[in-house]
Amino acid sequence: MVSDSIDGSKETAQSHTPPPTHDAAPADGATEVPADDDGLDLSLLKKKKKKAKKAEDDEEPAAAEDANDGDAAAEEGALDLTLKKKKKKKVTKETEDDFAKKLEALQLEGKEGEEPVAAAAEVDEQDGDMEKGTGIWSHDENKIINYDPLLSRFFVLLTQKNPDHASSGSKSYKIPPPQCLREGNKKTIFANIADICKRMKRTDEHVTAYLFSELGTSGSVDGSRRLVIKGRFQQKQIENVLRKYIIEYVTCKTCRSPDTELNKGENRLYFITCNSCGSRRSVQAIKTGFSAQIGKRKKMQG
Amino acid sequence: MSIENLKTIDPFADADEDAGQTKQTQESYIHIRIQQRNGRKTLTTVQGIPKKFDHKKILKVIKKEFACNGTIIDNTDSKGMGDVIQLQGDQRNKIKEFLTDKDNGLGLDEKTIKVHGF
């Protein structure tokens, strides 16, 4: 129907364009349409008149749209003479309250054909009463509850009973990606190390030492607290190393919370204390390990 | 049967053994590292391969298999880090597979191997 109407509107536009003698084009369409439809359907005609009045009240573009709609409905009558009057009436009703109509139709279909849809609708109706314990949620109710409402009930209860759990689940641990710049050809500048260390609550020195030992290089800190690393490194590579650092030195192994503190305990051992679950574990000190001499010959010569 | 079971489990002896084992495993991590050289050249160093293996033979096999050169840096040159196998190029994944491979490699436990670097 809709496609028909669209086609019709186009055709009407074409057919109407030559004759117009009035001032405003949209007003023309609206006024002329009833004239065309006079002999066909009285009900339609009445509709048209109302619409035309509305169009006059409204602004011009809106009026044009209304007129087109009217044309569409009218043209169906005009072009499809074979169509029964019932259909025309349906069209007019749709223009009146098409949404309500469609909804009704949908509901009818659901009730006739698909049982689950109907069941879902019923459940939806009763869903609001969950907290009060009425409807399907009442204690002595024997109706089978569908999966979806049960699932939603589970999550509602979960968030109600332990809010911290839900909050920790939703809030992921985020660290800004490392910003890597190239200084010259052989050095990489890790620009936002201070920011990242602040987020992780670790000292710059500790992170720097870990980075150097993992990357097997050395480097220095420049004036604006940026880290200058010897060697070419991509942002992704630094990110990987940072991930390793977070797993090893930041996250709590018991509750996986990143909210931890690194302290120097007795006997030169480093301990991680978790702020959320209170567990304490020792971590290995950063070892540099073996690093091969690079550019030995140069040094020997110089 | 039950008495037999009780006999085999000696709590004190077990505890001591366990402690020793954990210490050993902690120390005997095999570290695979990578170092950047000039340009896009890299070095791979393998530190901490158990002494029961013949490092020279391992190196010979590796050199052939990975098609790369390499050396063994002995304890005196590596400043007390033990024997270190140094290979040319980024061989980290290959060497890890070799160390864990049971048929053609050393058949070591993957947990004892630590791969460092980016």
Side-chain angles (χ1 to χ4, degrees):
Chain A
M1 293 294 277
V2 178
S3 61
D4 281 354
S5 69
I6 290 166
D7 291 341
S9 71
K10 277 177 188 170
E11 285 176 38
T12 48
Q14 284 171 353
S15 63
H16 288 311
T17 34
T21 50
H22 304 279
D23 299 337
D28 280 353
T31 46
E32 280 179 39
V33 170
D36 282 353
D37 284 25
D38 264 342
L40 288 167
D41 201 340
L42 283 174
S43 64
L44 265 179
L45 206 165
K46 279 171 192 171
K47 276 276 143 197
K48 285 292 119 58
K49 274 182 180 172
K50 278 176 193 170
K51 283 222 165 173
K53 277 173 193 172
K54 277 181 193 170
E56 282 167 23
D57 294 338
D58 290 340
E59 294 174 13
E60 281 202 358
E65 282 174 14
D66 275 8
N68 278 337
D69 285 356
D71 280 0
E75 269 313 303
E76 277 178 359
L79 290 170
D80 306 340
L81 286 170
T82 52
L83 280 177
K84 289 169 190 174
K85 283 187 180 179
K86 279 179 192 172
K87 280 197 175 177
K88 283 175 198 167
K89 274 173 191 172
K90 267 190 186 173
V91 170
T92 53
K93 274 178 191 171
E94 270 190 9
T95 51
E96 275 175 10
D97 46 1
D98 45 353
F99 244 89
K101 250 247 160 184
K102 277 176 188 169
L103 278 176
E104 277 177 40
L106 275 176
Q107 278 181 352
L108 277 170
E109 280 176 11
K111 276 173 190 172
E112 283 168 9
E114 301 155 27
E115 282 179 4
V117 172
E122 278 175 20
V123 169
D124 283 342
E125 283 167 22
Q126 293 164 343
D127 196 35
D129 304 330
M130 194 180 78
E131 285 174 18
K132 292 171 195 168
T134 54
I136 46 163
W137 304 109
S138 63
H139 189 62
D140 47 354
E141 180 61 55
N142 290 328
K143 234 180 244 168
I144 296 166
I145 306 170
N146 278 18
Y147 177 76
D148 285 340
L150 278 175
L151 188 69
S152 61
R153 176 174 175 268
F154 165 74
F155 276 107
V156 166
L157 286 177
L158 192 73
T159 48
Q160 273 179 1
K161 295 280 156 88
N162 33 359
D164 353 325
H165 177 75
S167 69
S168 70
S170 64
K171 179 183 75 184
S172 63
Y173 186 54
K174 271 179 188 162
I175 275 184
Q179 291 169 354
C180 287
L181 313 165
R182 178 70 55 77
E183 187 187 72
N185 202 20
K186 287 183 176 176
K187 284 176 186 169
T188 312
I189 298 182
F190 183 5
N192 58 348
I193 187 167
D195 187 22
I196 288 173
C197 290
K198 214 174 163 187
R199 292 280 182 95
M200 297 192 298
K201 293 188 205 165
R202 295 290 177 272
T203 55
D204 291 13
E205 291 81 30
H206 193 255
V207 179
T208 314
Y210 184 80
L211 277 175
F212 286 161
S213 78
E214 278 296 296
L215 298 172
T217 56
S218 58
S220 56
V221 182
D222 75 351
S224 48
R225 292 234 300 166
R226 295 184 306 182
L227 187 67
V228 183
I229 307 168
K230 273 188 192 171
R232 294 183 198 171
F233 296 101
Q234 309 282 324
Q235 190 213 330
K236 212 177 172 187
Q237 294 171 325
I238 303 269
E239 202 181 305
N240 277 341
V241 179
L242 271 177
R243 268 176 216 283
K244 274 190 201 168
Y245 178 83
I246 288 166
I247 289 167
E248 215 169 317
Y249 290 101
V250 181
T251 50
C252 170
K253 283 274 197 298
T254 339
C255 67
R256 285 191 189 175
S257 156
D259 186 15
T260 54
E261 277 170 20
L262 182 72
N263 295 316
K264 208 176 192 176
E266 63 276 11
N267 298 335
R268 284 181 291 170
L269 289 171
Y270 281 96
F271 284 95
I272 286 182
T273 321
C274 180
N275 285 340
S276 57
C277 74
S279 79
R280 194 158 169 268
R281 74 177 172 101
S282 68
V283 287
Q284 281 187 332
I286 296 167
K287 279 186 210 159
T288 322
F290 172 77
S291 66
Q293 276 280 331
I294 296 169
K296 202 176 183 179
R297 227 172 273 165
K298 260 186 203 169
K299 274 180 190 170
M300 292 267 279
Q301 281 174 352
Chain B
M1 280 297 284
S2 59
I3 296 163
E4 199 72 8
N5 275 341
L6 279 173
K7 268 184 189 173
T8 51
I9 299 166
D10 186 1
F12 298 103
D14 241 358
D16 280 347
E17 264 178 40
D18 269 351
Q21 273 180 356
T22 47
K23 262 189 187 175
Q24 269 188 357
T25 47
Q26 268 186 359
E27 282 170 11
S28 71
Y29 270 129
I30 297 172
H31 299 278
I32 302 173
R33 293 197 178 80
I34 190 165
Q35 269 182 293
Q36 281 194 339
R37 284 178 59 219
N38 45 352
R40 47 177 293 179
K41 292 173 182 173
T42 48
L43 282 180
T44 310
T45 57
V46 187
Q47 181 192 338
I49 290 178
K51 281 181 183 168
K52 63 179 177 183
F53 298 110
D54 187 348
H55 288 202
K56 272 186 186 173
K57 274 189 180 168
I58 289 174
L59 184 69
K60 223 173 197 179
V61 173
I62 285 175
K63 276 164 76 169
K64 189 136 194 174
E65 200 169 313
F66 301 168
C68 71
N69 207 346
T71 54
I72 290 172
I73 296 161
D74 61 17
N75 204 5
T76 51
D77 283 343
S78 66
K79 292 162 194 167
M81 305 272 187
D83 278 9
V84 175
I85 294 182
Q86 191 183 80
L87 301 165
Q88 290 177 1
D90 183 0
Q91 317 284 353
R92 286 177 295 165
N93 293 331
K94 285 188 202 165
I95 193 89
K96 198 187 174 189
E97 271 173 35
F98 175 79
L99 289 177
T100 50
D101 196 345
K102 274 172 190 166
D103 298 327
N104 301 317
L106 302 183
L108 291 165
D109 190 6
E110 207 176 327
K111 287 169 192 165
T112 62
I113 300 171
K114 273 194 174 177
V115 180
H116 298 265
F118 33 79

